[in-house]
Amino acid sequence: MDERLFSEDASHRADETWQIMPIGPMDLELGGHLPAVEIAYETWGTLSAAGDNAVLVCHALSGDSHPVGWWSALVGPGKAIDTDRYFVIGSNVLGGCRGSTGPGSLLSSAARPGGQSPLRLGSAFPKITVGDMVTAQQRLLAALGIERLWLACGGSMGGMQALEWARRDACDRAWITASAPAHNAMQIAFNEVARQAIFADPAWQGGDYEVGAGPDRGLAVARMAGHLSYLSEAAFEAKFGRRRQQDAPELFQVESYLRYQGKKFTTRFDAGSLVALTEAIDRYECVSLAGSRTRFLVTSFSSDWLYPPHQSRALAQMAREAGCPVEDHDIDLPYGHDAFLLDDQIQAGLVRDWLARP
Amino acid sequence: MDERLFSEDASHRADETWQIMPIGPMDLELGGHLPAVEIAYETWGTLSAAGDNAVLVCHALSGDSHPVGWWSALVGPGKAIDTDRYFVIGSNVLGGCRGSTGPGSLLSSAARPGGQSPLRLGSAFPKITVGDMVTAQQRLLAALGIERLWLACGGSMGGMQALEWARRDACDRAWITASAPAHNAMQIAFNEVARQAIFADPAWQGGDYEVGAGPDRGLAVARMAGHLSYLSEAAFEAKFGRRRQQDAPELFQVESYLRYQGKKFTTRFDAGSLVALTEAIDRYECVSLAGSRTRFLVTSFSSDWLYPPHQSRALAQMAREAGCPVEDHDIDLPYGHDAFLLDDQIQAGLVRDWLARP
């Protein structure tokens, strides 16, 4: 395997590496219907003869099918999620904008009167749930010949998907990090501000904007609001303090950082997807794991105020009450929510040890 | 004094009760110049013959000259800041939009070619500082015949003004609550997201929008982003949880709340003021109180993550190092930053006791 794939450049190469799996029509949990769904995916490693080493890595809000890029702290050859050992699958969620069917998917040009540029699904994309995301993943894995997951894992929104896999008793193990069984009011509030920033942009057009003419200014503000919640106060302080931008001393570095992150996001993300995915995770609520025999690892980070550790403790407790074997750890690191992406030491060690246990 | 003034309606009556004091031209700390500044103010009580009972109540970002309304937990007859006992002055800050000169102030119509509707100062309003706000307050008080403040007090942005009064050794006492000697990177980041939400609105026009045609959608998003930071997670949870809006069950209550707060704000606040004031407080940095003989009370709230208690401790320490008498308290209440406006018990008791000390 080419080591260069695991450099910092990896995420930029995802566009060229994913494959598309058509999974047919879908009836959705909230009543909507999609006539033809496609899921973008990538795989690493080899499925064992017994089919018992399949690992699905679920991505967070802005991720994609390329965990060896955005989660290189955990996923790759010799890493805790070892692509030399496991058959690792990454897939872009239903509703996403990195290859899978979502609000930004194009309708056939023939469907459009007037012959203008291809039209996005836009507001015709129905409301989806975390359950729908997982159903789409189950169909993808069935198409890949995988009957049962050995491990479902993910952080933040990815953790909710892994939890839903476990709730359906469709995986042997679930590792859920920096996540929650349901959003609290503050998490919903942060997502709502992001959505309102998009809706406030006149280019939003109720979701039915032209390709290339989306609500980029609103989307950038939405992303900046997100970044407020990804770092702890201490991480903001260590990273920026009150330092000024060298080439523009009237700006604080943290201001430049937010502007840069906002702008960059608009080059790779669709506003309609941000709305669809945040609504789906706000709506998600796992209240019981009764009937699941999944073995759980639940990790959280002491400085994560967006997904505070008490939510992970509640999740672990719910699994214990269902009689599932559970190991949970609150990791004392100062980086805030981003820690789940960054920590390649403590978290990786816990995952490695837990996976080694029979 | 009319008790009804202290009902919840009080703030809506401010428009009719404030007075205007012209304080002449101002040279500003960052090099700008204003040819004619007006400050909106109100007073309660009577100045003592010795002139030693003057109290200035400084307002936070969205406040005004009417503390008996927005700070009725602390200010009024028989309250900790007792308007029966002290001569209490409230004034709208320089740069504000509740009567004082700010970006929303109107130029004379004669100054405008074409005879359109009155033009706002807009981008012609120069960059201001917390120091400029205090200089304007000092001129107002001089015009009212007050030579020295007995007490300067305020919370959040108001606390920065009270601190600046103390730094200038221009008050006998300073009570500073839920504030900081300088913003950290996270506080700047929250303000920057609010500003970017305004700048993203095409109606912003670089600050030079027409009266009545301002960037209301951006301003609403800015206010929603602010509200994220005013409550603690526990307060969000107690207030909203995952409850749905009764008349619109597809909405979480917290979503309705944010939308309502955002919209309401646009009826009473100018986007240009929000930009000017947040930039001023981001820029403020008090590094020493050397030379001040002010007596300090510094209060903070354990659940305030926007102005975390360690900032108040640092402020108290700075005052101690300058040889000032200091009393500081971290108040254990779950409401978040808003606690400084709400707490009429613990905080009020501390203030009352401290004011009673010789």
Side-chain angles (χ1 to χ4, degrees), chain A residues 182-186 188-190 192-193 195-197 199-202 217-218 221 224-225 228-229 231-234 236-237 240-242 244 251-252 254-256 258-259 279 281-285 305 308 310-311, chain B residues 182-186 188-190 192-193 195-197 199-202 217-218 221 224-225 228-229 231-234 236-237 240-242 244 251-252 254-256 258-259 279 281-285 305 308 310-311:
Chain A
H183 274 178
N184 63 27
M186 193 164 171
I188 297 170
F190 266 87
E192 174 65 5
V193 169
R195 288 187 291 265
Q196 289 295 325
F199 298 160
D201 189 325
R217 303 177 81 168
V221 173
M224 293 185 222
L228 293 177
S229 64
L231 300 185
S232 65
E233 186 208 346
F236 267 112
E237 213 45 24
F240 308 107
R242 289 181 59 81
R244 301 287 185 144
L251 283 183
F252 289 103
V254 71
E255 295 178 307
S256 292
L258 288 170
R259 293 178 191 189
E279 284 184 351
I281 56 178
D282 285 348
R283 224 175 264 129
Y284 187 64
E285 191 168 14
W305 57 273
H310 70 80
Q311 292 186 321
Chain B
H183 274 177
N184 64 26
M186 195 166 171
I188 297 170
F190 265 87
E192 173 66 4
V193 169
R195 288 187 291 263
Q196 290 294 326
F199 299 159
D201 190 326
R217 303 177 80 169
V221 174
M224 293 185 222
L228 294 177
S229 65
L231 299 185
S232 66
E233 185 206 346
F236 267 112
E237 214 44 24
F240 308 107
R242 289 180 60 80
R244 301 287 185 147
L251 283 183
F252 290 102
V254 70
E255 295 178 308
S256 293
L258 288 171
R259 293 177 191 188
E279 285 185 349
I281 56 178
D282 285 348
R283 224 174 264 130
Y284 187 65
E285 191 169 12
W305 57 273
H310 69 81
Q311 292 186 321

Side-chain angles (χ1 to χ4, degrees), chain A:
Chain A
M1 198 158 293
D2 188 346
E3 273 296 318
R4 283 170 304 170
L5 268 178
F6 305 97
S7 74
E8 283 191 8
D9 265 334
S11 61
H12 302 297
R13 300 170 65 168
D15 294 44
E16 291 108 83
T17 55
W18 70 52
Q19 292 181 270
I20 298 291
M21 180 70 77
I23 60 164
M26 274 188 79
D27 285 319
L28 303 168
E29 287 190 341
L30 295 174
H33 178 79
L34 284 165
V37 174
E38 295 180 332
I39 295 296
Y41 73 100
E42 296 173 73
T43 69
W44 295 264
T46 312
L47 188 62
S48 64
D52 60 356
N53 71 335
V55 173
L56 177 68
V57 183
C58 304
H59 69 75
L61 193 58
S62 62
D64 55 27
S65 59
H66 207 64
V68 295
W70 52 262
W71 218 1
S72 60
L74 271 295
V75 184
K79 305 276 173 78
I81 308 288
D82 190 347
T83 50
D84 287 342
R85 213 167 144 184
Y86 310 121
F87 183 58
V88 175
I89 306 107
S91 76
N92 184 220
V93 290
L94 177 70
C97 53
R98 305 285 291 168
S100 293
T101 300
S105 296
L106 302 181
L107 290 164
S108 114
S109 57
R112 195 179 193 201
Q116 290 160 275
S117 67
L119 197 67
R120 301 166 56 261
L121 257 177
S123 66
F125 186 80
K127 302 270 183 205
I128 57 162
T129 64
V130 171
D132 295 326
M133 295 178 196
V134 169
T135 298
Q137 288 161 350
Q138 288 181 308
R139 290 219 208 150
L140 164 71
L141 294 188
L144 292 173
I146 296 163
E147 290 186 11
R148 188 175 171 81
L149 275 183
W150 181 65
L151 170 66
C153 65
S156 201
M157 182 179 97
M160 284 184 163
Q161 296 159 58
L163 176 60
E164 180 62 17
W165 273 89
R167 198 190 65 77
R168 297 182 180 193
D169 196 29
C171 53
D172 292 343
R173 291 171 178 251
W175 165 43
I176 295 159
T177 187
S179 191
H183 274 178
N184 63 27
M186 193 164 171
Q187 289 163 320
I188 297 170
F190 266 87
N191 281 341
E192 174 65 5
V193 169
R195 288 187 291 265
Q196 289 295 325
I198 289 169
F199 298 160
D201 189 325
W204 167 245
Q205 297 285 325
D208 293 321
Y209 43 92
E210 297 286 321
V211 174
D216 282 356
R217 303 177 81 168
L219 181 59
V221 173
R223 184 59 171 174
M224 293 185 222
H227 273 282
L228 293 177
S229 64
Y230 301 153
L231 300 185
S232 65
E233 186 208 346
F236 267 112
E237 213 45 24
K239 205 164 175 166
F240 308 107
R242 289 181 59 81
R243 287 185 292 282
R244 301 287 185 144
Q245 190 68 5
Q246 221 159 11
D247 54 351
E250 75 284 3
L251 283 183
F252 289 103
Q253 283 181 8
V254 71
E255 295 178 307
S256 292
Y257 168 81
L258 288 170
R259 293 178 191 189
Y260 172 79
Q261 293 293 346
K263 191 158 188 185
K264 193 177 73 169
F265 194 61
T266 63
T267 66
R268 68 177 180 89
F269 216 83
D270 178 62
S273 277
L274 194 86
V275 171
L277 300 183
T278 57
E279 284 184 351
I281 56 178
D282 285 348
R283 224 175 264 129
Y284 187 64
E285 191 168 14
C286 177
V287 292
S288 167
L289 289 163
S292 174
R293 292 156 302 162
T294 304
R295 177 179 293 267
F296 281 86
L297 173 64
V298 183
T299 47
S300 59
F301 294 88
S302 55
S303 59
D304 183 352
W305 57 273
L306 182 61
Y307 285 81
H310 70 80
Q311 292 186 321
S312 288
R313 283 195 297 273
L315 196 166
Q317 182 57 25
M318 193 188 298
R320 275 189 197 100
E321 282 166 11
C324 301
V326 183
E327 196 177 312
D328 64 324
H329 300 273
D330 185 35
I331 300 170
D332 190 20
L333 280 173
Y335 314 126
H337 186 56
D338 265 359
F340 89 87
L341 288 170
L342 301 172
D343 175 22
D344 59 0
Q345 297 293 320
I346 305 174
Q347 182 178 234
L350 290 168
V351 171
R352 212 183 279 271
D353 292 350
W354 176 73
L355 290 179
R357 261 168 232 140

Side-chain angles (χ1 to χ4, degrees), chain B residues 9 38 167 178 185 209:
Chain B
D9 265 333
E38 294 180 334
R167 200 190 63 77
Y209 43 91

Side-chain angles (χ1 to χ4, degrees), chain B residues 15 20 29 62 100 144 165 176 180 182 195 235 264 276 288 292 318:
Chain B
D15 295 43
I20 298 292
E29 286 190 341
S62 62
S100 293
L144 292 173
W165 273 90
I176 296 160
R195 288 187 291 263
K264 194 179 71 170
S288 166
S292 174
M318 193 189 298

